[in-house]
């Protein structure tokens, strides 16, 4: 064998190894592409129902939000009506109730003075009249911090 023949055999062997390596890479690449294709098909198969469910959920949430908006509008209307009613009742009954309360206070005060002027030894509301009354019930005026 001559040097050219040995070189030709070496080139042929290296060429065969290179072709085998490229063939192996192409086979692996084909397997990877098949797996990726299957994965995309499975994801598509599962994603379509998920998207349909998500769309139905969004529609349901939109319906519920519309209901909440109508409820909030009704609550706002009820609040406005309650405020108007409160101001009406306050203006209609406020003055007379203050007068009744003042009258009641006057009656209590008069009864307290009458109890003080009762004779010794008589009983008024379960207590002897002769016992000393607190200063507020005796009709004295308190001064707060005005020495």
């Amino acid at each position: 064998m001559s040097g050219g023949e040995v070189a030709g055999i070496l080139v042929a062997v290296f060429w065969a190894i290179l072709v085998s390596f490229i063939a192996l890479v192409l086979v692996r690449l084909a397997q990877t592409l098949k797996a990726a294709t299957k994965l995309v098909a499975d994801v598509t198969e599962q994603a379509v129902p998920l998207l349909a469910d998500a769309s139905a959920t969004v529609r349901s949430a939109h319906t519920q939000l519309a209901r909440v908006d109508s409820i909030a509008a009704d609550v706002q209307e009820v609040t406005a009506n309650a405020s108007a009613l409160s101001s009406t009742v306050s203006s209609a009954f406020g003055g007379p109730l203050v007068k009744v309360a003042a009258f009641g206070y006057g009656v209590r005060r008069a009864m307290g003075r009458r109890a003080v002027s009762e004779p010794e030894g008589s009983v008024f509301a379960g207590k002897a009249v002769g016992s000393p009354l607190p200063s507020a019930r005796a009709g004295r005026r308190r001064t707060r911090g005005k020495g």
Side-chain angles (χ1 to χ4, degrees):
M1 269 207 262
S2 71
E5 291 176 351
V6 173
I9 291 176
L10 283 176
V11 168
V13 169
F14 285 123
W15 185 257
I17 292 173
L18 180 66
V19 168
S20 299
F21 179 73
I22 290 175
L24 181 66
V25 168
L26 288 176
V27 168
R28 297 276 175 110
L29 181 63
Q31 290 174 351
T32 303
L33 288 176
K34 283 182 185 178
T37 304
K38 184 180 178 189
L39 179 66
V40 168
D42 290 344
V43 166
T44 303
E45 188 177 306
Q46 292 176 2
V48 171
L50 286 176
L51 290 174
D53 290 344
S55 176
T57 302
V58 168
R59 271 188 249 113
S60 174
H62 179 67
T63 304
Q64 295 298 328
L65 283 175
R67 287 180 184 169
V68 168
D69 284 342
S70 67
I71 289 171
D74 291 342
V75 167
Q76 186 176 11
E77 184 179 336
V78 168
T79 303
N81 290 341
S83 176
L85 179 65
S86 172
S87 65
T88 302
V89 167
S90 174
S91 65
F93 296 114
L97 286 177
V98 168
K99 291 177 184 177
V100 168
F103 177 75
Y105 174 74
V107 169
R108 277 187 285 138
R109 191 165 179 190
M111 293 299 283
R113 286 186 180 166
R114 183 173 165 230
V116 171
S117 64
E118 292 280 331
E120 191 73 29
S122 64
V123 176
F124 182 71
K127 291 188 177 181
V129 175
S131 62
L133 295 175
S135 62
R137 297 192 95 193
R140 291 187 214 137
R141 186 173 180 164
R142 292 186 192 180
T143 57
R144 296 183 187 182
K146 296 181 181 178

